[in-house]
């Protein structure tokens, strides 16, 4: 018997059953939300030969996802355009807006993981901020690319595929905010951009947490510092971020920057010192004066690896200063801002730098 479409009932039933099975299979896949903020991964160059010269933040998230149909094999993916900017223009307000959206999504029962596409210049800062303030065990993955999608050997598509794959994986839960580039799974706390024109630009002195290859995760270590669900900080309770800035140490250093930041009313100043966070003799009085006026002084280091030892190079206990431990100055700034959303003396702030 033919139905009103002219099909035999049996054939129609078979087709409807197949369509239903496909729908059920897709619904059973993890739901990953991609929050797009711009950056090189959404960039475009004038020609395929332009891998380092291009305009960032041009491709909207819907086109970014539509250009990678393979994502549907690992997850049910939806996208939101949060910002469309180059990441060097990220402000504290951008951080707060993004973190609030990530936090809200993490509370939704129908969301299994979250991916943030981001420019690489400040990707590490955003990843660490989210690591500190979003209270969830669900996978959060920040991803970028070193080449625009229009370039020969563009890396963004695979990086994004890896990010969605990791965010959809149950074994990525509870490991804090992650960063995926160049097949590596990095801790958002530890990783930094170390070079500006290579696809293997992001490294951690402690090594990656694992690798992701063809959609499968291989884990080799786990983060031990406090993060996400174990953090004492919560984006839902943070209305604004205090002023924290960085001053750079160098030969023949003067105190102009230190004095200017003090007059500007910073709540903390990161001193990016040479070597083991060394401070030039002529800068010590200015930093001590800041501390006497209630500004937290945090001794970091401009060197890419290692960590700052307390009471080495400078008598931190005597001066009531804090050391940044192994955090690079830009990340020390992020932690100091978050920590100082609550009242902290130097001792409690130092405890936070040890633990996070």
């Amino acid at each position: 018997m033919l139905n009103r479409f002219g099909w035999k009932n049996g054939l129609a039933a078979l087709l409807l059953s197949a369509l239903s099975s496909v729908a059920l299979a897709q619904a059973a896949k993890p739901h990953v939300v991609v929050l797009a903020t711009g950056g090189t991964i959404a960039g475009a160059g004038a020609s395929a030969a332009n891998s380092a010269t291009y305009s960032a933040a041009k491709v909207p998230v819907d086109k970014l996802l539509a250009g990678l149909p393979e994502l549907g094999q690992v997850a049910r993916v939806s996208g939101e355009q949060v910002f469309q900017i180059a990441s060097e223009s990220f402000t504290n307000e951008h951080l707060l807006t993004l973190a609030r959206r990530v936090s809200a999504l993490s509370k939704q029962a129908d969301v299994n993981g979250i991916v943030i596409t981001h420019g690489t210049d400040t990707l590490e800062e955003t990843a660490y901020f989210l690591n500190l303030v979003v209270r969830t065990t669900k996978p959060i993955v920040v991803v970028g690319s070193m080449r625009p999608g229009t370039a020969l050997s563009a890396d963004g598509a695979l990086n994004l595929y890896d990010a969605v794959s990791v965010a959809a994986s149950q074994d990525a839960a509870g490991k804090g905010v992650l960063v995926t580039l160049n097949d590596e799974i990095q801790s958002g706390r530890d990783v930094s951009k170390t070079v500006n024109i290579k696809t293997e630009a992001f490294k951690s002195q402690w090594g990656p947490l694992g690798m992701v290859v063809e959609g499968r995760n291989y884990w080799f270590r786990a983060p031990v510092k406090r993060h996400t669900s174990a953090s004492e900080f919560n984006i839902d309770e943070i209305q604004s971020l205090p002023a924290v800035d960085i001053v750079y140490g160098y030969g023949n250093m003067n105190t102009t920057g230190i004095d200017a930041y003090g007059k500007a009313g910073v709540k903390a100043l990161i001193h990016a010192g040479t070597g083991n966070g060394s401070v030039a003799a002529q800068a010590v009085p200015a930093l001590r004066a800041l501390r006497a006026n209630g500004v937290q002084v945090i001794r970091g280091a401009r060197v890419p690896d290692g960590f700052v030892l307390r009471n080495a190079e400078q008598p931190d206990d005597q001066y009531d200063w804090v050391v940044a431990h192994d955090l690079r100055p830009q990340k020390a700034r992020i932690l100091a801002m978050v920590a100082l959303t609550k009242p902290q003396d130097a001792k409690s702030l130092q405890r936070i730098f040890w633990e996070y």
Side-chain angles (χ1 to χ4, degrees):
M1 181 181 296
L2 298 179
N3 61 19
R4 64 189 178 93
F5 296 107
W7 295 344
K8 291 184 178 180
N9 286 337
L11 180 59
L14 185 62
L15 181 59
L16 289 173
S17 176
L19 290 173
S20 177
S21 297
V22 171
L24 287 172
Q26 187 65 19
K29 290 179 179 176
H31 179 203
V32 173
V33 179
V34 176
L35 299 179
T37 71
T40 300
I41 196 168
S47 75
N50 292 125
S51 62
T53 306
Y54 54 86
S55 296
K58 293 295 181 182
V59 182
V61 67
D62 55 347
K63 289 188 178 181
L64 201 63
L65 298 179
L68 196 54
E70 292 83 0
L71 294 176
Q73 299 171 11
V74 295
R76 182 164 52 91
V77 180
S78 58
E80 295 181 19
Q81 193 77 48
V82 185
F83 314 118
Q84 187 67 298
I85 59 176
S87 71
E88 66 268 21
S89 298
F90 250 68
T91 65
N92 287 354
E93 288 304 314
H94 289 116
L95 288 175
L96 292 168
T97 298
L98 178 62
R100 287 167 185 150
R101 185 60 186 138
V102 173
S103 178
L105 286 170
S106 72
K107 294 180 175 67
Q108 292 184 200
D110 64 338
V111 173
N112 302 101
I114 301 163
V115 169
I116 298 101
T117 63
H118 201 289
T120 57
D121 280 357
T122 60
L123 184 152
E124 66 202 76
E125 296 172 48
T126 297
Y128 188 42
F129 182 73
L130 297 174
N131 197 58
L132 294 170
V133 302
V134 179
R135 294 265 191 91
T136 187
T137 59
K138 292 181 180 180
I140 300 171
V141 184
V142 187
V143 64
S145 71
M146 294 302 296
R147 296 170 179 166
T150 52
L152 295 170
S153 298
D155 56 327
L158 182 56
N159 287 348
L160 180 55
Y161 179 84
D162 287 347
V164 171
S165 176
V166 171
S169 304
Q170 292 184 354
D171 61 12
K175 291 183 171 65
V177 174
L178 306 171
V179 172
T180 58
L181 286 97
N182 201 44
D183 299 330
E184 293 179 336
I185 308 172
Q186 298 276 2
S187 163
R189 177 198 184 273
D190 298 341
V191 76
S192 290
K193 185 176 181 178
T194 60
V195 66
N196 64 338
I197 54 172
K198 294 183 179 180
T199 55
E200 67 271 27
F202 281 76
K203 298 293 181 182
S204 160
Q205 67 171 318
W206 311 123
L209 300 183
M211 299 281 292
V212 52
V213 180
E214 296 182 354
R216 181 176 176 182
N217 302 333
Y218 298 85
W219 300 99
F220 300 105
R221 70 180 184 92
V224 298
K225 299 293 187 179
R226 291 177 65 178
H227 58 76
T228 53
S229 61
S231 176
E232 66 198 82
F233 308 105
N234 187 343
I235 187 59
D236 299 338
E237 301 169 355
I238 298 174
Q239 300 303 315
S240 62
L241 294 169
V244 178
D245 279 290
I246 303 168
V247 66
Y248 206 77
Y250 54 92
N252 199 46
M253 181 184 180
N254 60 50
T255 64
T256 303
I258 297 171
D259 297 337
Y261 281 130
K263 291 177 181 177
V266 294
K267 301 302 180 184
L269 186 64
I270 314 297
H271 179 272
T274 53
N276 183 27
S278 303
V279 181
Q282 63 270 24
V284 170
L287 290 173
R288 294 192 69 183
L290 277 190
R291 185 70 196 103
N293 287 327
V295 178
Q296 295 286 355
V297 173
I298 301 165
R299 237 180 7 99
R302 72 183 199 184
V303 297
D305 291 335
F307 55 93
V308 178
L309 296 169
R310 187 168 177 82
N311 294 314
E313 301 293 344
Q314 293 295 326
D316 298 299
D317 288 345
Q318 179 185 337
Y319 293 167
D320 203 31
W321 290 355
V322 173
V323 298
H325 195 32
D326 65 328
L327 293 176
R328 301 284 69 79
Q330 62 272 25
K331 288 196 174 182
R333 173 184 168 270
I334 294 292
L335 181 55
M337 285 196 305
V338 171
L340 293 175
T341 59
K342 300 179 179 183
Q344 309 285 355
D345 59 18
K347 184 176 181 180
S348 61
L349 187 58
Q350 185 65 77
R351 187 267 305 169
I352 288 168
F353 269 87
W354 293 143
E355 293 182 7
Y356 291 86

